Amino acid sequence: MEHFVEANLKTVKQQMELACQASGRQIEDVKLLLATKTVPLEKLQMAIQAGETLFGENKAQELRGKFPLMQQFNQIEWHFIGHLQTNKVKDVVKYVTLIHSVDRLKLGQALHHQLVKENKTMDVLVQINTSYEESKFGAPPEMAVELVEQLSQFETLNVKGLMTIGKLNATNDETRHCFRLLKCIQTQIREKNLPRVQMDILSMGMSGDYKVAIEEGATIIRVGTSVFGQRYLPDSYYWNEHAQQDD
Ligand SMILES: *Cc1c(COP(=O)(O)O)cnc(C)c1O
């Protein structure tokens, strides 16, 4: 029997198809990342059974808990999508293939420092606060070019693109504006031709706005609630008040 995670996944994929058709894009060009904060392992396994392979965590601690149990499955890939404190860098670079949330030079430095020690490189996205909401992490759009220039000096970091969280509880036009701004910054940065900077990935769109994000060029959408159901912790737990600011 089909379980609810599988049914939800089907619905999301149909919507993805429709958004691609509406904007003349290919479905292969949009990846679905499942946001797994607070989601118990049983639900993750349902998603894996349904063929999903790309997962994103917000906190180093939850990642550390889930990673060993998930490793038994082949081809699972983890990305880090939450606010990253510099003292958690060591943990996170062990588990993930892409960090979506590099939003300040100090974090870039901490990553570089750790990666040099481990003789490794890491793919990263630069998170931009396109909605200018105070509750959100992310570099201000005006700082984006400068930040990417600074990050491009670290030879352990490959900047693969940009990430944003669209304005929440907003009209479609307001969220669309956020996504267009991200696309615009992508173009600006591309023109600079910086070393190790590629700008092919746009990580944008969540349960409430992924269709608009796809229409505006998202290459990764990050979906939690629409697949796994409501979370028992409010997002503020992950996005601000309780997140420790270390710099
Ligand atoms: C929780 C979260 C998502 C997914 O949000 P939903 O609304 O549940 O789809 C996407 N991106 C980030 C950074 C998140 O923290």
Side-chain angles (χ1 to χ4, degrees):
M1 219 185 72
E2 188 181 70
H3 49 66
F4 77 97
V5 169
E6 197 176 345
N8 288 346
L9 277 165
K10 262 190 200 161
T11 308
V12 168
K13 296 213 165 142
Q14 278 162 3
Q15 296 299 319
M16 289 172 71
E17 285 274 2
L18 289 175
C20 281
Q21 280 166 18
S23 50
R25 301 188 58 202
Q26 303 295 318
I27 188 79
E28 299 79 42
D29 297 337
V30 186
K31 278 193 199 163
L32 174 62
L33 173 148
L34 298 181
T36 58
K37 54 179 183 263
T38 79
V39 175
L41 214 63
E42 307 87 76
K43 287 192 191 177
L44 297 191
Q45 286 170 351
M46 289 180 186
I48 292 168
Q49 275 167 23
E52 293 307 307
T53 56
L54 181 57
F55 299 88
E57 261 302 338
N58 287 66
K59 285 196 187 277
Q61 207 183 340
E62 277 190 59
L63 186 60
R64 204 187 308 129
K66 283 167 186 164
F67 186 83
L69 298 158
M70 295 281 280
Q71 247 190 332
Q72 54 182 305
F73 303 100
N74 285 335
Q75 293 178 321
I76 299 298
E77 198 180 332
W78 284 99
H79 289 179
F80 194 81
I81 62 174
H83 177 64
L84 183 52
Q85 293 165 246
T86 50
N87 63 357
K88 298 286 163 55
V89 155
K90 192 174 167 184
D91 237 6
V92 165
V93 299
K94 263 193 268 185
Y95 302 125
V96 304
T97 54
L98 180 67
I99 298 172
H100 290 224
S101 47
V102 177
D103 60 357
R104 59 206 190 280
L105 182 59
K106 193 176 169 195
L107 177 58
Q109 279 165 336
L111 282 165
H112 177 62
H113 186 72
Q114 184 60 32
L115 290 163
V116 164
K117 266 199 224 164
E118 300 187 20
N119 196 18
K120 269 171 57 167
T121 60
M122 178 61 68
D123 292 348
V124 300
L125 305 180
V126 175
Q127 182 175 356
I128 310 291
N129 185 0
T130 53
S131 65
Y132 292 92
E133 287 167 288
E134 274 179 28
S135 62
K136 302 258 192 63
F137 296 109
E142 305 74 37
M143 298 288 294
V145 174
E146 190 185 332
L147 178 58
V148 175
E149 276 171 348
Q150 290 168 330
L151 293 171
S152 73
Q153 292 166 21
F154 300 125
E155 67 274 13
T156 56
L157 299 182
N158 302 313
V159 181
K160 296 286 185 185
L162 304 171
M163 180 272 228
T164 201
I165 297 173
K167 190 166 182 196
L168 300 172
N169 309 314
T171 63
N172 270 358
D173 281 352
E174 287 173 314
T175 22
R176 197 179 293 280
H177 183 264
C178 295
F179 299 148
R180 285 202 176 153
L181 180 54
L182 199 70
K183 180 95 198 166
C184 186
I185 296 169
Q186 176 194 41
T187 308
Q188 254 179 305
I189 295 172
R190 263 198 183 136
E191 284 166 1
K192 299 252 165 194
N193 273 322
L194 298 164
R196 291 174 296 277
V197 174
Q198 261 155 22
M199 286 294 126
D200 291 333
I201 298 178
L202 286 182
S203 167
M204 56 190 197
M206 315 191 338
S207 290
D209 55 21
Y210 65 85
K211 280 170 276 174
V212 177
I214 291 172
E215 289 168 14
E216 297 302 329
T219 66
I220 302 180
I221 59 169
R222 311 175 309 268
V223 178
T225 314
S226 289
V227 170
F228 297 117
Q230 283 295 328
R231 289 179 287 275
Y232 61 85
L233 284 170
D235 284 345
S236 57
Y237 177 76
Y238 289 90
W239 288 347
N240 215 354
E241 292 139 60
H242 301 269
Q244 279 169 277
Q245 292 269 16
D246 60 346
D247 37 2

